[in-house]
Amino acid sequence: MTASTSTLYHPKIAHFMETYGIVLIVLVMMAILAVIKPDVFLSAENLTNILKQNASLALLALGMLVVIVTGGIDLSVGSTMALAMVCIAMASRVGVPWPICLLIGPVVGLAVGWANGIGLTWLKLPHPFIMTLGTLNIGRGLTYLLTGGAPVSGLQPELRYLGVSYWGLGIFNPPAGLPVSLVVVAISAVLLWLFLNRTSTGRHIYAIGGNPHAARVSGVNVDRVLTAVYMICGFFAGLAGLLLVGRTGSGFPNAGIGIELDAIAAVIIGGASFFGGRGTVLGVLAGVLIMGLLRNGLNINNVSAFWQMILIGFVIIIAVYIDVVRRKAAIRT
Amino acid sequence: MDPIEAKPLPLLEAKNIVKYFGAITALGGVNFHVDAGEVLGVVGDNGAGKSTLMKILSGLYTPSEGELVFQGRPVHFSSPKEARLLGIEMVYQDFALAGNMPIYENIYLGREPGRKFGPLRIVDHERSRAMAREHLDRLKISVKSIDQQTENLSGGQRQAVAIARATAFDAKLVIMDEPTAALAIKEVGKVLDLIRSLKEHGVAVIVISHRMDDIFYCCDRVMALFQGTNFADAKLADTNRNEVIGWIMGTKNHTEGLAHDRVH
């Protein structure tokens, strides 16, 4: 048994770059924006805003990461988020106590995720794209049916706390501060990191993404793990709905149309492999921040929203191309 | 079992194993046994039923009829997990490794050392690494780092990791499906030596191979399957290559002329 010695291959260094290289990109982007518009970009209000606006997307992307690591995809997260939002808002309006309303979001998400898992493992639909495309439509349809297409307002103030509040901590003046939604994202990210890296189920998720056959013959109950994976993704979609309903103050049925594609983009920009087996929590957070910073930077420089879409499109392509080149260079040095 | 009986109990005995896939009969009644610490070579033409039989032994398939007896007790496996609990392990032709994961995690995949914590098991990565190092040392397998992802390994190294996984927990029987088919020629010898060293550790091995060189290098006994039944078997010392090649083609009284390696 020898440790890595004189050769070019250093697993530790390769691992470090794979894990933290993306953070460098975020820092470079921030530095560029700070140089171009120091007074606007670096203001506490602007930074608070970036974090608050992207909290829901960050949660969706964390859930999406778990699915993409298995080599799957979940198109239903936007609908699930909207369904959770209107369920929370309607329950609140008919006077359900707020601690129960808080649970509604995650429970709706878990239920949709369970349905996705069942479609994949019991019905054996050929690809998660199919099942989640179905639940995307079913969820959105339910959302419209429940609300008649109109936003549901009248949220109890306690329900808005997670989405809208921030802590001044004696340092910041309103409307700046540490958003509570950021704390929710941070706790979620840490717990998810621990789950993926320190529990056997988390490691099985990566193994399934790398080689499902290997996982199966190693005694991993692949169907059970996959169902759990889609439930985790749904849970995060429900939690994202809880934050967004708090931030906007109403359950609007059009919320999150197309946001599943943003979540997928953030995961891919963050270095996860679309074919499964590779992807990190840190990368996803960086992916969300790269998209958020790009939008914010273009906004504060008065660039049209149409250009933002074009640029994000290029970023996705470039990010994956860099990954292709890097992996080609890394193979068997 | 009668203790007076002179012959020791076989480790694993298959009695009249039949397997249907719809209207197709893959196995039409196979009887064989393997003893503890014995290396049994299994040969047969494509479609003779080798892989089906091995998948039944390792718990991936359940037999349509027949019985498996392990250490004197009848056993039924509904998954590879159950077979592994008894110490029956399979090394797959494609190695069945997760290429995105490091060597040590592949070795303990599905059996990670750690502590139960509610419904979750917290993996002790340090202990897993230490166990992997120790185990690879015992098998005299050297790798650059146990943190290397298996997709960066050569075929022979992957095969070694697959064998290490199969023997990580007190295996009694290791089944190997074409262990040398995917290897470079210079790596074949190492893997065959590894099979011999398993025997020295008291592990029984079943080797499926097309290569007579492999069979005659590392086996104690050879069995031929032909059209879904056990056609013939013999101790290695009592047979020769041409006879075994004849069995593969379904002929018992072989002639020199049937030898495939002869130039006519």
Side-chain angles (χ1 to χ4, degrees), chain B residues 42 44 73-74 108:
Chain B
V42 176
R73 280 192 306 273
Y108 297 107

Side-chain angles (χ1 to χ4, degrees), chain A residues 2 197-198 203-204 218 277, chain B residues 84 100 105 112 123 125 144:
Chain A
T2 53
N197 293 291
R198 290 283 178 267
R203 303 316 294 158
H204 296 166
S218 299
Chain B
R84 290 175 100 196
N100 60 325
E105 286 201 277
E112 295 85 356
V123 180
H125 284 283
K144 269 187 228 164

Side-chain angles (χ1 to χ4, degrees), chain A residues 19 47 50 54 67 95 145 153 157 159 172 177 191 196 209 258 260 293 295 302 304 314 317 325:
Chain A
T19 314
L47 293 177
I50 296 174
N54 291 295
V67 170
L145 265 183
S153 55
L159 286 173
F172 305 106
L191 290 179
L196 286 177
E260 59 277 354
L293 286 171
R295 288 194 172 125
N302 295 321
S304 119
F314 276 111
I317 293 167
V325 171

